[in-house]
């Protein structure tokens, strides 16, 4: 027996069509705002149908390329499919797809890497041009046309508001029990009409559970039945566990000396294994009544909600493994009381991150001895993913942590370098660096003091002598009149580790 | 006939003593929070007396060094006097004194450069250690012990709250008519107890006109009669006028296409001649009913208030020339209705900068072709002043502008370089770059597109061929398999312009 229709609005039922027919409404040169945030809630059918149209156009000698705007990263069915056929002229604000990445680094596709809290307002302000089409996945449509959001909200409110044409994918694989979990704040305005955002706790509901759309703009409804991509959730490796251990020790110490309350402060946790290891550690740790104020809710946080260690979590997306998804679906009523999903301009809002006093933990590619962090570029030139929300959180956090294993590529790369090859987070925004080797607390330290603790606490022992030697020679050079001793550097050598890696496949001779 | 006493509280009158006796209450190793923001409202007598004590101790072979925390830069009587005798162990969060700068770059003094909005909360959180003594200039003391602030507020609320001992300088040269101009917000809290800051317009008064202090902590009152240092206000040179012209054209265009309202949005303007030139241009320009939400109110903004072009300005300090001071004093009642002075955690608060939609204009040392900005370091190693509030404003602004002449040192230095030698503002936080050559609008551009407009609009023609050549060769190198085409760079050459300048005194051969 088939499920009753999820499209309760009679007028919109008239707009049901195939993905192929819907994709045909998208034209060359369009800016298309798609749903999707870290592999959650992206449209499953229209982008693939569009990729076919693009491929056919290309085979017919016609150019067909679009701008793809999303919440954050999506999945092979969206970024992968469109990038494969060369259909993306410009991509923003974040991606993590291998085909996209290869195209961007080959110069075949433009990519604008934007703080995730900036995207919606840049569109409202008109800074990114006109949004032509929105393609947004929802879990259902109410009789009055209001939309039940899917597993992420991201920029969907903005895409629906700003686009000329709206294509909705109604995904019947999304649990209807999601209804009521979302909190869409419609109180945002453009300056000078902005008001304080009335939130003082991560669990506050300040909006409504539905998305609105001007029904006259809806040009197509496509029915789908497809789960989000599976977000792999691996058991923590030894390095991740050691990093988590250093962070837990630090947090315990901060509570002990009165710089953090016993229930800590709302946790923001980046995506990936180290983040999950930290959360797993907290789940075994001494802290109770924790809260989360983050972008993406992963298995690690779900388990903390389940255990009761965490009482409430706010995010803009649910990015779960298959096992996590099953746990979530089996206990939807439990989780609906403990999870709030919000638009990303709210989940990442500087006003709220600062007010709530978020403890921000993000992965990085490399840090330098003075505490500058590179989150995005391999050897200074190749984009990996993007800055995502790390800048929204790090600058406004109560304490901002950046974490990485101390080495990469079997020890050929040191993740602590004399000078980072690209800066995403300046020394001013980085309080704590952590590797499996240890934790560097940079609060209240001047640059040369920072270099000392970064090298001795975070660098891998194989690289410490070379880093100490660099610092010593840079200071000697400054004392000899070449450069200053505030932030000593040897300009001819500062990027030589990266350059050697490009030439020889290792950072040190 | 002498003015009646400004110290109306009878108990505090008992604490009046000489600057010398007050300075004797400060000990080696103390952290001392001093008033002062951009040469306004700094203590005039105690720091100089303290410098003498330090000198005597040094002559007697005793170490005597303190930590000096302020609002921002001060004056020769404070930073200069203490640095001259080697009395500063560590300085934060901003300085611009030549003796300080020399000591820092010689490795004789530690300096922690902090976003100005972070300082107060870092002290509340306990991240910078214990504050032992506050030395704060005020304009007067009421009968009940409340304090009439001086020409700046800066971090004074925090110093008075947090210090164990408080020394007040009551400066009878400060006009009593300042009373009522300040707005000290006492609603700040540490997380998790923070509430929205109830401000929606630059002119809103949300606090009270006086500073509070626990009277039992006041150990000394020193009477002074001394004006703030004279902030030189030069007529705009040709480059500044051209930069101002580009910005005015841009603003007019944004209004025309509907991306800015006709009265613009609140202006934040950095310190210096270019900033004043922009304000002078606006004062002659077509925009009416402007507002200011800035750190430092200089002559340029005073003139706009006088002309009526600007209706209200908020700041944390008044930094005026002698002529500006006279104008201000002669018309205090007029200006008191149009100027609000606030603590710097409010004047620079990310929540408010984002809500109000500030147009942020800050000077820089150099920018690179991809839009990264260096605000602080000469050739990557020597500190100039500090990041100040530029990070608070740039990341949260409606539009963030960075400005500089295209060259320095008679053309030996290009202020547009392949890669900045130090990053304070990343490509993500820089929307508009301006030199006398032109304006680069980086909104919605990917890195290689940015390089194009930065070189062609902002670089000096003498340096454009070398910059174009760098980009072309970096792209070729990436196409040849060395590096990526997202942000092409030649790692061995990226900092070579700076390196050559250090060796040969010019960036190009």
């Amino acid at each position: 027996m088939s499920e009753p229709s999820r499209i309760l609005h009679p007028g919109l039922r008239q707009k049901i069509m195939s993905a192929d027919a819907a994709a045909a409404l998208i034209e060359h040169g369009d800016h298309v705002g798609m749903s999707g945030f870290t592999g959650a809630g992206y449209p499953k059918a229209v982008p693939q149908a569009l990729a076919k149209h693009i491929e056919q156009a290309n085979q017919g000698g016609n150019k067909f390329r679009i701008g793809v705007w999303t919440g954050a990263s999506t999945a092979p069915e969206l970024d992968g499919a469109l990038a494969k056929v060369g259909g993306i002229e410009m991509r923003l604000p974040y991606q993590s797809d291998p085909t996209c990445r290869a195209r961007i680094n080959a110069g075949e596709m433009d990519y604008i890497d934007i703080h995730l809290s900036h995207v919606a307002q840049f569109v409202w302000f008109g800074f990114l041009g006109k949004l032509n089409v929105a393609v947004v996945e929802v879990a259902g449509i109410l009789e009055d046309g209001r939309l039940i959001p899917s597993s992420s909200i991201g920029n969907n409110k903005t895409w629906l508001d700003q686009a000329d044409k709206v294509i909705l994918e109604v995904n019947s694989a999304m649990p209807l029990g999601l209804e009521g979990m979302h909190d869409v704040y419609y109180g945002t305005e453009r300056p000078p009409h902005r008001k304080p955002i009335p939130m003082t706790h991560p669990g506050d509901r300040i909006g409504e559970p539905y998305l609105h759309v001007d029904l006259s703009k809806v040009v197509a409804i496509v029915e789908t039945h497809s789960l989000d991509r599976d977000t792999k959730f691996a058991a923590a490796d030894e390095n991740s566990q050691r990093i988590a251990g250093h962070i837990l020790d630090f947090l315990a110490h901060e509570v002990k000396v009165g710089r953090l309350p016993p229930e800590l402060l709302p946790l923001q946790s980046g995506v990936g294994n180290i983040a999950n290891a930290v959360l797993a550690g907290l789940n075994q740790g001494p802290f109770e009544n924790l809260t989360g104020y983050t972008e993406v809710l992963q298995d690690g946080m779900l388990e903390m909600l389940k255990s009761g260690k965490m009482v409430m979590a706010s995010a803009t997306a649910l990015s779960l493994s298959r096992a996590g998804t099953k746990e979530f679906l089996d206990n939807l009523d439990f989780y609906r009381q403990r999870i709030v999903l919000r638009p990303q301009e709210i989940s990442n809002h500087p006003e709220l991150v600062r007010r709530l006093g978020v403890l921000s933990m993000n992965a990085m590619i490399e840090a330098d001895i003075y505490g500058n962090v590179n989150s995005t570029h391999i050897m200074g030139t190749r984009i990996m993913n993007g800055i995502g929300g790390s800048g929204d959180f790090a600058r406004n956090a109560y304490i901002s942590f950046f974490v990485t294993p101390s080495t990469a590529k079997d020890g050929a790369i040191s993740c602590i370098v004399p000078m980072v090859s690209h800066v995403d987070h300046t020394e001013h925004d980085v309080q704590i660096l952590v590797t499996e080797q240890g934790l560097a607390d940079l609060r209240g330290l001047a640059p040369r003091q920072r270099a000392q603790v970064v090298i001795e606490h975070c660098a891998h022992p194989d690289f410490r002598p070379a880093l100490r030697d660099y610092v010593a020679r840079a200071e000697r050079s400054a004392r000899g009149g070449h450069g200053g001793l505030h932030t000593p550097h040897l300009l001819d050598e500062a990027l030589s580790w990266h350059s050697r890696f490009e030439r020889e496949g290792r950072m040190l001779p």
Side-chain angles (χ1 to χ4, degrees), chain A residues 303-365:
Chain A
E303 288 178 7
M304 292 176 72
L305 289 167
K306 185 181 182 184
S307 73
K309 282 280 183 182
M310 182 171 278
V311 293
M312 184 54 92
S314 166
T316 192
L318 285 169
S319 188
L320 301 172
S321 70
R322 281 285 170 265
T325 301
K326 182 168 186 319
E327 161 64 27
F328 175 74
L329 293 178
D330 289 348
N331 299 282
L332 252 172
D333 289 339
F334 176 87
Y335 289 112
R336 199 184 309 105
Q337 291 165 36
R338 288 164 179 81
I339 295 174
V340 186
L341 294 179
R342 311 177 186 279
Q344 75 191 67
E345 73 265 24
I346 300 298
S347 66
N348 287 35
H349 202 297
E351 172 173 338
L352 301 173
V353 175
R354 176 104 163 207
R355 183 181 304 146
L356 298 173
V358 168
L359 297 174
S360 166
M361 301 183 198
N362 289 290
M364 60 179 172
I365 290 172

Side-chain angles (χ1 to χ4, degrees), chain A residues 81-396:
Chain A
L82 290 171
K84 206 159 286 172
V85 298
I88 306 179
E89 176 79 25
M90 194 272 290
R91 179 75 176 86
L92 64 82
Y94 182 90
Q95 62 76 38
S96 66
D97 180 82
T99 313
C100 264
R101 185 184 299 135
R103 291 254 187 214
I104 296 166
N105 287 322
E108 297 163 0
M109 175 175 150
D110 283 324
Y111 176 50
I112 310 178
D113 186 16
I114 306 181
H115 296 300
L116 294 188
S117 85
H118 279 181
V119 184
Q121 68 171 18
F122 279 6
V123 178
W124 311 337
F125 298 166
F127 291 176
L128 301 177
K130 178 69 198 154
L131 184 68
N132 305 103
V133 187
V135 183
V136 172
E137 178 181 277
V138 297
I141 304 177
L142 301 186
E143 268 184 35
D144 60 8
R146 285 179 299 167
L147 311 173
I148 305 170
S150 177
S151 50
S152 71
I153 299 187
N155 284 315
N156 293 351
K157 164 177 159 281
T158 295
W159 301 164
L160 295 168
D161 280 351
Q162 297 282 321
D164 288 332
K165 294 191 275 192
V166 171
I167 297 171
L168 297 173
E169 286 198 5
V170 182
N171 184 353
S172 57
M174 283 288 152
L176 272 178
L178 281 175
E179 189 174 352
M181 189 176 281
H182 309 88
D183 185 68
V184 186
Y185 180 62
Y186 276 94
T188 54
E189 294 280 352
R190 289 173 54 173
H193 304 295
R194 285 183 166 164
K195 299 273 178 286
I197 300 170
M199 190 194 299
T200 57
H201 183 273
D204 286 351
R205 290 187 171 274
I206 60 174
E208 44 190 300
Y210 305 106
L211 286 162
H212 301 181
V213 63
D214 173 350
L215 299 182
S216 71
K217 298 199 301 188
V218 179
V219 295
I221 310 269
V222 177
E223 292 180 293
T224 66
H225 186 88
S226 179
L227 289 176
D228 282 333
R229 78 162 195 226
D230 181 15
T231 297
K232 296 280 181 270
F233 182 59
D237 62 11
E238 197 189 320
N239 274 349
S240 299
Q241 286 180 11
R242 291 178 68 181
I243 289 170
H246 298 314
I247 293 178
L248 287 171
D249 289 348
F250 171 84
L251 293 173
H253 179 259
E254 291 295 297
V255 171
K256 196 173 152 199
V257 300
R259 286 194 292 254
L260 274 175
E263 71 282 10
L264 305 181
L265 285 164
L267 300 169
Q268 178 259 330
S269 166
V271 171
N273 287 340
I274 299 179
N276 275 319
V278 174
L279 296 176
L282 284 165
N283 206 17
Q284 307 298 324
F287 311 110
E288 307 287 343
N289 297 312
L290 302 173
T291 57
Y293 196 80
T294 196
E295 276 173 16
V296 182
L297 196 142
Q298 290 193 285
D299 286 46
M301 224 172 249
L302 200 75
E303 288 178 7
M304 292 176 72
L305 289 167
K306 185 181 182 184
S307 73
K309 282 280 183 182
M310 182 171 278
V311 293
M312 184 54 92
S314 166
T316 192
L318 285 169
S319 188
L320 301 172
S321 70
R322 281 285 170 265
T325 301
K326 182 168 186 319
E327 161 64 27
F328 175 74
L329 293 178
D330 289 348
N331 299 282
L332 252 172
D333 289 339
F334 176 87
Y335 289 112
R336 199 184 309 105
Q337 291 165 36
R338 288 164 179 81
I339 295 174
V340 186
L341 294 179
R342 311 177 186 279
Q344 75 191 67
E345 73 265 24
I346 300 298
S347 66
N348 287 35
H349 202 297
E351 172 173 338
L352 301 173
V353 175
R354 176 104 163 207
R355 183 181 304 146
L356 298 173
V358 168
L359 297 174
S360 166
M361 301 183 198
N362 289 290
M364 60 179 172
I365 290 172
E366 60 181 3
D368 68 26
I369 52 176
Y370 297 117
N372 301 287
V373 163
N374 171 11
S375 301
T376 57
H377 280 66
I378 304 293
M379 302 298 144
T381 63
R382 293 183 201 85
I383 192 77
M384 184 69 199
N385 299 331
I387 194 168
S390 56
D392 297 320
F393 286 100
R395 183 161 295 174
N396 298 295

